[in-house]
């Protein structure tokens, strides 16, 4: 972690410099904790109410599944 970014937290910059540094400052923002395996298992979606046929119809394609 780069602690120098925290020193920029309460500084006043001109608009051009702020725009130039915005992506770097945003990258060093506090992030959420990495979820545990147990937390990931509870968020899993096993069933979807959207079918491949419906998705293809929405974009104007004809869906033909491979029957091998």
């Amino acid at each position: 972690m780069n602690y120098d970014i925290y020193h920029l937290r309460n500084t006043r910059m001109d608009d051009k410099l702020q725009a130039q540094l915005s992506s770097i400052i945003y990258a060093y923002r506090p992030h959420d904790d990495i979820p545990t395996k147990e937390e990931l298992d509870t968020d899993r979606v096993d069933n979807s109410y959207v079918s491949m046929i419906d998705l293809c119809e929405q974009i104007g394609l004809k869906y033909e599944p491979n029957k091998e």
Side-chain angles (χ1 to χ4, degrees):
M1 181 167 187
N2 190 342
Y3 293 101
D4 295 334
I5 297 296
Y6 283 109
H7 296 297
L8 294 175
R9 185 171 35 185
N10 295 320
T11 59
R12 298 189 61 100
M13 296 182 241
D14 64 89
D15 294 337
K16 183 179 179 183
L17 179 60
Q18 185 176 1
Q20 290 172 337
L21 294 176
S22 65
S23 61
I24 296 170
I25 295 170
Y26 184 74
Y28 283 94
R29 76 192 186 288
H31 296 286
D32 295 335
D33 292 335
I34 298 172
T36 63
K37 182 179 181 335
E38 291 79 21
E39 291 172 336
L40 290 174
D41 285 343
T42 59
D43 292 340
R44 183 174 294 166
V45 176
D46 293 328
N47 298 319
S48 174
Y49 297 103
V50 180
S51 69
M52 190 66 166
I53 295 170
D54 292 336
L55 292 173
C56 289
E57 285 178 2
Q58 289 178 10
I59 60 172
L61 294 176
K62 183 177 179 181
Y63 176 68
E64 296 178 11
N66 294 335
K67 295 182 180 180
E68 294 180 19

